[in-house]
Amino acid sequence: MRIFDGHCDVLWKMWENPDISFQDLASMHVTYPQLKSRRSSVQVFAIYVPQKVSREGQFAAALQMVDIFFEKILAFSPGMKLIRNEAELKRLADGETGAILSLEGCDCIGNDLSRLRILHQLGVRSVGLTWNFGNAAADGILEPRGGGLTSFGEEVVTFLNSKNCWTDVSHLSERGFWDCLEKANNIVATHSNAKVLCDHPRNLTDSQINGLIEKNGRIGVTFVPSFLNSCQASATIRDILKHLDHVCSLGGVRHVGFGSDFDGIEDTPAGLSAYREYENLVNEVLKRYPEEQAVRFFYQNFADYFTCV
Ligand SMILES: [Zn+2]
């Protein structure tokens, strides 16, 4: 089973810990040997600049993460290919691994669209407007103001539309979500679950999930334990299946995928302690769904939606 995973924080972890290598299974959830063994899979690598970095230093930090991607990941991962468009995705050969760059939060671009254009030139193809707080583009879900897209945020979405890139609404305020649903042509929530099953602010209400499905958007069920299970004591693969089942029950069989958030989380669900254990999830999904549908969940739903030119 090929896997198209919509979100991981490998770049952030390697930026925070310069001595870690992308081969280091002891320190990383996702490593090249694990990706390689799951033939022809695709991983989205997020550029996430933490809030502790000064406003002036944010763009430099984002560029450092791009440098890590090329110099410490691609350069040491023979057979791993940067995927920038639909043709490159389709050309991915057996035994190769695809890597897509994304930006998690527009804080680092300030109100300067040229910075977004530069990141796009470097390969970024999916952009989340915010992390949890507000910036020049929009408010995040924990920003008390709860604002939607600013006029600059609309410019960001217009740019992403012009390049067929994904607008990622995970982390966004609810108003921001609805603004994007109206304006974005390619809309995804790369790592969010269903609020009706787990009442966490980062999760989506049923009306948001319905909105994404109606707009032919995509939803990546995520492995963050506190987004899976309100008790938080111990999330399991069973919890992931509940969120998958729920999105499907709303009509999202062709819209749901996975966005693990590996390497952005400390705790992982039981049975999913690292990327290689995706196998356990694959096995459980195959017990409940026909293989053709499982292929959609693990790969095809996201792959079909990646139409950058
Ligand atoms: Zn995130």
Side-chain angles (χ1 to χ4, degrees):
M1 183 75 67
R2 300 166 75 179
I3 289 168
F4 189 129
D5 183 296
H7 186 88
C8 78
D9 279 310
V10 163
L11 299 179
W12 164 75
K13 196 186 254 186
M14 290 179 69
W15 179 83
E16 291 274 11
N17 306 278
D19 296 333
I20 297 182
S21 105
F22 193 48
Q23 319 280 329
D24 183 1
L25 194 60
S27 312
M28 307 286 293
H29 295 142
V30 183
T31 60
Y32 181 57
Q34 294 179 85
L35 285 174
K36 193 178 156 200
S37 67
R38 196 156 277 291
R39 308 174 80 85
S40 308
S41 287
V42 174
Q43 179 65 53
V44 178
F45 291 82
I47 296 164
Y48 164 68
V49 180
Q51 304 275 305
K52 67 183 179 188
V53 177
S54 71
R55 204 173 280 248
E56 302 73 42
Q58 294 235 341
F59 191 59
L63 294 178
Q64 285 159 9
M65 289 185 212
V66 175
D67 187 52
I68 288 169
F69 176 74
F70 285 103
E71 296 299 320
K72 291 189 164 179
I73 294 182
L74 275 194
F76 289 94
S77 307
M80 186 181 253
K81 295 269 160 46
L82 174 65
I83 303 291
R84 288 163 297 193
N85 54 53
E86 196 177 354
E88 288 177 340
L89 181 62
K90 295 222 160 99
R91 269 205 301 274
L92 199 63
D94 187 28
E96 291 182 336
T97 301
I100 294 172
L101 277 174
S102 70
L103 176 65
E104 182 170 37
C106 283
D107 306 58
C108 70
I109 66 170
N111 58 1
D112 184 352
L113 209 60
S114 75
R115 290 181 168 186
L116 183 62
R117 286 196 296 268
I118 290 166
L119 290 173
H120 178 264
Q121 293 281 5
L122 293 171
V124 170
R125 293 296 184 267
S126 169
V127 173
L129 277 291
T130 66
W131 190 63
N132 285 336
F133 303 104
N135 60 32
D139 280 351
I141 190 65
L142 297 185
E143 181 65 52
R145 182 172 53 183
L149 284 187
T150 63
S151 55
F152 177 68
E154 288 187 17
E155 285 180 46
V156 168
V157 172
T158 301
F159 174 79
L160 296 173
N161 285 347
S162 74
K163 303 291 182 189
N164 268 16
C165 289
W166 288 355
T167 296
D168 185 355
V169 293
S170 285
H171 286 282
L172 201 53
S173 70
E174 202 166 337
R175 255 187 82 190
F177 172 94
W178 292 110
D179 287 347
C180 283
L181 199 73
E182 194 186 315
K183 296 194 161 58
N185 293 344
N186 307 87
I187 186 165
V188 295
T190 55
H191 55 306
S192 293
N193 290 338
K195 196 173 261 184
V196 70
L197 298 178
C198 176
D199 188 12
H200 190 286
R202 277 278 286 98
N203 287 341
L204 300 169
T205 64
D206 278 3
S207 57
Q208 287 177 303
I209 296 171
N210 283 328
L212 281 169
I213 292 169
E214 276 165 31
K215 187 101 194 246
N216 194 30
R218 297 293 186 267
I219 303 143
V221 170
T222 189
F223 304 166
V224 185
S226 56
F227 304 177
L228 282 167
N229 176 338
S230 305
C231 312
Q232 294 185 27
S234 56
T236 62
I237 287 177
R238 190 177 293 265
D239 292 312
I240 297 173
L241 295 173
K242 282 185 195 163
H243 288 269
L244 172 69
D245 292 348
H246 184 69
V247 177
C248 289
S249 76
L250 295 175
V253 174
R254 288 171 179 264
H255 308 84
V256 69
F258 295 101
S260 62
D261 212 358
F262 273 144
D263 290 304
I265 48 178
E266 280 192 26
D267 298 328
T268 52
L272 257 175
S273 66
Y275 185 88
R276 66 181 179 282
E277 292 193 335
Y278 245 113
E279 189 62 23
N280 296 334
L281 179 61
V282 169
N283 290 337
E284 289 306 315
V285 168
L286 284 171
K287 284 181 195 165
R288 306 160 78 93
Y289 290 93
E291 186 173 353
E292 177 220 330
Q293 279 185 24
V295 169
R296 287 190 178 286
F297 304 153
F298 284 105
Y299 189 85
Q300 212 63 45
N301 283 343
F302 272 158
D304 287 349
Y305 203 56
F306 190 77
T307 57
C308 300
V309 285

